[in-house]
Amino acid sequence: MATTAEYGLGPFTFPRGWFMIADAAEVGEAVLPLRFFGNELALYRGESGRLVLLDAICAHMGTNIARNTTSFVVLDGQIEGDSVRCPYHAWRYGPDGRCNDIPYHDGPIPARACLKSWPVQERYGCIWMWHDPEGGEPDYDIPSLPEWDDPQWVHWGVDHMGEIGSHPQEVIDNMADSPHLGPIHGSTLEYFENEVRDHIVIQRQGGGHKTLAASNTLLETDTFYTGPAILISRLTGLYDAIMFITNTPVEDGRIRVWHGLMVQSENQVATQADVERAREFQESSRLAFLQDFEVWESKAPIFQIMQIRSDGPFHKIREWYRQFYNPREEAAERQAKVNGTYYTDWLKPAPEEVVARGRY
């Protein structure tokens, strides 16, 4: 596994941003154990419906409060209201992370008896956490998808792609990588460009595609990262669809990856037949993404790309990505250095109407 330090990204091992940590369907009546950012976490839904994400190591004696199935605390109901009890000595922690009950103790609760509580949201069938090595509040939002509330659109099912020993830098490189689209995906490109806007990086491309477009139509994708980890792509081909791909660091140099695809039906309210067609198209999209995933899973890390002029603006995208590994106070200055539109010299720029309809 290659590390953040080896890529020279900045002083922080893990980046600042919103990250997916679970499929919402995984959050049931029990505490869900997770590991991200080299840290043990406990995710649960309180009795009020509130989502709570806490560091999982009990302040008392180091018990992992999420990784137990046999304690009577767990068997009898570990979640009380919006609080959760440690399975070892039953210390109870509230959603703010503070211990609010020690069952065998009548005196004051030690001030140090607390766990870190993380900002968490449920959007689009996914659970997202805000991670900031400086401990700040979110400085951008999860991208808006108004189509999620439109009954004409079939929601995605979340594809769990699993973990790979790859640094997320290798994934971000794809945004500038027009030359891989033919060999890997069978694309015949007609146009391609990148644009950087502060915490967002955009890729616009169009051309033929062997699996996601009919033989006489273009696959056009308007793809953007919001922050370092949330990719949304609006695409036209066989169907109008919205793809998401997201990755979250598990350890330094190891990530977990998810994929999903929403599809617009021809009916005002999607039918069961529409759902079945959408699932088939999502599987085609997953297999197309797997072509990239297989490369990342086995490729060597590249700290300095042997870049030629026709490769695309890898250096600009990597510079954009560094803002999330450096102090927040530097972000505006770093963004100003790279904001703009970048073209690949052997391809046409995106048509004006494609640029105009972008929603980021």
Side-chain angles (χ1 to χ4, degrees):
M1 295 190 300
T3 65
T4 293
E6 290 176 290
Y7 285 93
L9 292 171
F12 304 140
T13 300
F14 299 111
R16 177 180 68 257
W18 284 106
F19 295 86
M20 182 171 171
I21 55 171
D23 181 339
E26 295 178 280
V27 187
E29 296 181 357
V31 179
L32 182 66
L34 299 170
R35 183 172 180 83
F36 291 108
F37 305 103
N39 191 31
E40 290 291 314
L41 299 166
L43 175 66
Y44 65 93
R45 196 183 300 277
E47 292 179 359
S48 72
R50 177 179 178 177
L51 277 170
V52 180
L53 180 67
L54 302 175
D55 278 357
I57 303 303
C58 180
H60 176 215
M61 287 184 65
T63 304
N64 189 317
I65 68 173
R67 297 191 186 274
N68 188 290
T69 58
T70 57
S71 164
F72 277 106
V73 167
V74 175
L75 296 174
D76 292 340
Q78 188 177 10
I79 299 169
E80 298 179 3
D82 287 346
S83 298
V84 62
R85 286 198 183 272
C86 173
Y88 201 16
H89 297 92
W91 288 33
R92 191 178 68 193
Y93 295 91
D96 61 355
R98 296 184 179 278
C99 181
N100 56 30
D101 182 62
I102 300 174
Y104 54 89
H105 176 65
D106 293 329
I109 294 174
R112 292 186 299 124
C114 60
L115 307 175
K116 182 174 177 58
S117 177
W118 297 87
V120 63
Q121 289 191 23
E122 181 174 359
R123 302 277 292 276
Y124 317 129
C126 306
I127 310 300
W128 311 87
M129 72 172 286
W130 174 258
H131 178 268
D132 185 351
E134 296 176 282
E137 293 297 313
D139 59 358
Y140 67 85
D141 295 327
I142 296 169
S144 174
L145 287 179
E147 295 88 348
W148 187 263
D149 298 317
D150 186 339
Q152 191 173 9
W153 284 78
V154 178
H155 289 175
W156 51 54
V158 176
D159 294 318
H160 296 248
M161 304 298 293
E163 294 184 13
I164 52 173
S166 180
H167 195 279
Q169 175 66 84
E170 302 286 340
V171 177
I172 293 292
D173 284 340
N174 248 33
M175 290 297 285
D177 194 357
S178 56
H180 93 285
L181 293 168
I184 287 289
H185 301 299
S187 299
T188 53
L189 286 180
E190 294 194 9
Y191 66 82
F192 185 96
E193 70 181 34
N194 291 113
E195 183 182 355
V196 175
R197 296 184 189 177
D198 298 335
H199 66 281
I200 293 171
V201 64
I202 302 162
Q203 178 203 87
R204 305 181 184 100
Q205 66 94 12
H209 196 280
K210 287 189 175 181
T211 57
L212 299 181
S215 59
N216 60 344
T217 62
L218 291 182
L219 173 68
E220 295 186 283
T221 65
D222 193 0
T223 302
F224 63 102
Y225 266 95
T226 300
I230 306 175
L231 178 148
I232 298 292
S233 183
R234 287 185 167 86
L235 58 97
T236 62
L238 290 176
Y239 302 97
D240 288 346
I242 300 173
M243 175 176 63
F244 94 97
I245 294 171
T246 188
N247 72 83
T248 301
V250 177
E251 310 287 350
D252 189 8
R254 186 169 188 83
I255 55 175
R256 183 173 296 174
V257 185
W258 298 265
H259 164 272
L261 191 80
M262 290 175 61
V263 178
Q264 186 177 26
S265 71
E266 296 179 353
N267 300 295
Q268 291 301 309
V269 177
T271 66
Q272 184 57 40
D274 292 329
V275 173
E276 292 171 3
R277 282 191 290 269
R279 291 290 176 262
E280 290 175 1
F281 194 48
Q282 176 167 333
E283 178 61 9
S284 296
S285 176
R286 187 190 70 84
L287 293 174
F289 175 49
L290 192 62
Q291 293 170 314
D292 290 310
F293 194 82
E294 186 177 29
V295 171
W296 297 329
E297 196 168 28
S298 58
K299 78 182 296 295
I302 297 299
F303 307 125
Q304 295 292 332
I305 298 171
M306 186 188 295
Q307 186 170 346
I308 59 176
R309 197 177 79 175
S310 301
D311 267 338
F314 284 108
H315 61 295
K316 293 292 186 181
I317 305 305
R318 284 197 169 194
E319 185 60 37
W320 167 84
Y321 186 55
R322 287 188 178 94
Q323 68 180 285
F324 305 109
Y325 290 83
N326 284 271
R328 186 189 298 219
E329 65 182 13
E330 300 177 8
E333 181 179 354
R334 290 178 175 276
Q335 291 164 357
K337 289 180 179 179
V338 292
N339 278 350
T341 303
Y342 302 95
Y343 306 104
T344 302
D345 62 3
W346 57 281
L347 291 166
K348 298 176 182 178
E352 290 183 6
E353 61 270 20
V354 171
V355 177
R357 69 175 179 240
R359 290 177 289 168
Y360 314 112

